[in-house]
Amino acid sequence: MKAIKLGQPAGLDQLKMVDIADPGEPGPDQIRVKIHASSLNFHDLGVALGHIPADDGRIPLSDGAGVVEAVGAGVSDFKVGDHVVSTFFPDWLDGQPAIANFSTTPGDGVDGFASEYVVRSATAFTKAPEGYSHAEAATITTAGVTAWRALIDNGGLKAGDTVLVLGTGGVSIFALQIAKAMGARVIATSSSDKKLERVRQLGADHTINYRTHPEWSKQVLEFTHNRGVDHTIEVGGPNTLNQSIQATRIGGHIALIGVLTGVSGEIATVAMMARQQRLQGLIVGSRRQQSDFVRALESSDIKPVIDKSFPLEKLPEAFALQKAGGHFGKIVIEF
């Protein structure tokens, strides 16, 4: 069967299509899945570029959606023909966070979903949302569940709240859609007026070009009558966090999700303390949280925003587009 493997030293030119052995039939508590789609995340790009070390020959991509072809003994959650989507932490089924690294994450610590077939534990998947294409389902594993956990499980989002989303990547767009579906107001930032027009079409109540307004927290405070937002989806990291602190209300919630501007920097801890804010770091979520998100999607009209689709053999080109930052929403791989 066909798969893509990453050579060493890592780089986009080291992603090679290869023929590998078919994984065979599932054993007890396992399922065999024909993979039809994946989606790209910042974590996947980090692995592909070598910024996140991975073993030589690693099969990349943490997200996988497809169809169950066979079930092993003891499997009751799935049957042949079910549409399924992978989980980011296959062993974190429920409860509090159980892992602080990526040793079990597909496409990083273990092989991912840039392959035609996989045999995995049944608990490494959930049902895909009814009515979703494989490409749409593949966007929820990382980006969708992260936004859901940040706003719903960790944030306790409720109707009437105000949410600030930074940028127009997969997590931020999902957060915008979830917030609007819950009856919240949304403020969105981007460096592109064209992208800001698109987020307004998705329901954003206010938009800010952070190139034009580098101290964009001032605009947030204007939009909120000097109160600040209830929730901030912080994907930038050290170079944006101080602005997020100023933009978030006293006692508000900041979900620290990304490190797009770096992995360390000076943080205005006194300002955050004085404003009595809750800063919570998170990486994706549990299988139970993904199942909850799937049920919510099935009762809403949320559909993922997909910027562009590539075939598996064009994975290096897809990563190049992601690296350039010109996309809006998600980039998917279909095969």
Side-chain angles (χ1 to χ4, degrees):
M1 70 174 188
K2 298 293 185 183
I4 286 186
K5 288 192 172 186
L6 179 63
Q8 295 295 337
L12 300 188
D13 59 344
Q14 293 297 314
L15 292 164
K16 304 296 184 182
M17 182 77 82
V18 296
D19 287 306
I20 63 173
D22 187 279
E25 293 302 306
D29 301 319
Q30 293 182 324
I31 59 176
R32 174 185 170 95
V33 180
K34 171 69 173 75
I35 301 298
H36 286 283
S38 184
S39 74
L40 304 190
N41 303 286
F42 185 71
H43 184 90
D44 299 309
L45 179 62
V47 171
L49 294 175
H51 300 162
I52 300 173
D55 291 345
D56 186 22
R58 173 67 70 229
I59 297 174
L61 302 184
S62 60
D63 302 355
V67 179
V68 176
E69 288 200 331
V71 299
V75 174
S76 58
D77 287 353
F78 303 108
K79 64 182 185 302
V80 173
D82 281 346
H83 288 205
V84 295
V85 59
S86 65
T87 60
F88 191 84
F89 291 117
D91 299 326
W92 180 17
L93 304 185
D94 199 357
Q96 292 298 309
I99 188 168
N101 58 47
F102 303 106
S103 60
T104 64
T105 297
D108 187 337
V110 298
D111 282 339
F113 294 100
S115 63
E116 293 182 294
Y117 301 92
V118 299
V119 171
R120 303 285 166 88
S121 168
T123 57
F125 291 87
T126 68
K127 296 282 185 64
E130 290 187 12
Y132 266 41
S133 69
H134 296 303
E136 290 169 337
T139 68
I140 74 173
T141 294
T142 301
V145 174
T146 298
W148 174 262
R149 177 186 170 196
L151 288 176
I152 306 303
D153 280 81
N154 292 356
L157 177 72
K158 61 185 184 298
D161 283 355
T162 302
V163 176
L164 171 65
V165 300
L166 305 188
T168 56
V171 173
S172 295
I173 295 300
F174 262 121
L176 185 160
Q177 293 174 299
I178 293 166
K180 295 305 297 183
M182 291 288 291
R185 300 173 70 245
V186 176
I187 301 171
T189 73
S190 173
S191 62
S192 164
D193 288 334
K194 184 177 180 180
K195 291 182 178 180
L196 290 174
E197 173 58 32
R198 292 189 67 183
V199 296
R200 284 192 290 271
Q201 293 171 3
L202 289 173
D205 299 276
H206 300 285
T207 58
I208 304 168
N209 187 315
Y210 64 78
R211 298 278 188 214
T212 306
H213 301 285
E215 295 186 8
W216 40 264
S217 61
K218 295 179 180 178
Q219 278 64 46
V220 173
L221 293 174
E222 288 181 12
F223 292 144
T224 59
H225 307 290
N226 213 42
R227 178 176 183 270
V229 299
D230 299 286
H231 309 271
T232 294
I233 302 300
E234 172 53 76
V235 299
N239 289 354
T240 56
L241 182 53
N242 288 330
Q243 283 293 302
S244 290
I245 291 169
Q246 295 301 319
T248 304
R249 70 167 172 85
I250 296 170
H253 164 235
I254 303 172
L256 182 59
I257 293 164
V259 290
L260 296 177
T261 65
V263 297
S264 64
E266 292 188 10
I267 304 302
T269 52
V270 171
M272 186 172 65
M273 179 179 66
R275 296 175 71 79
Q276 302 178 69
Q277 294 165 338
R278 176 163 57 95
L279 175 66
Q280 180 155 3
L282 72 148
I283 299 174
V284 197
S286 68
R287 184 176 190 261
R288 192 269 303 167
Q289 288 167 333
Q290 180 163 308
S291 294
D292 289 347
F293 183 43
V294 168
R295 285 194 295 273
L297 291 172
E298 291 176 338
S299 63
S300 76
D301 59 359
I302 294 175
K303 281 297 187 78
V305 176
I306 294 175
D307 186 274
K308 193 169 182 179
S309 174
F310 291 82
L312 181 60
E313 63 268 20
K314 298 291 187 181
L315 181 58
E317 294 180 24
F319 274 131
L321 174 62
Q322 183 188 25
K323 183 181 177 183
H327 60 291
F328 181 94
K330 296 294 291 180
I331 300 168
V332 299
I333 304 298
E334 296 183 86
F335 49 100

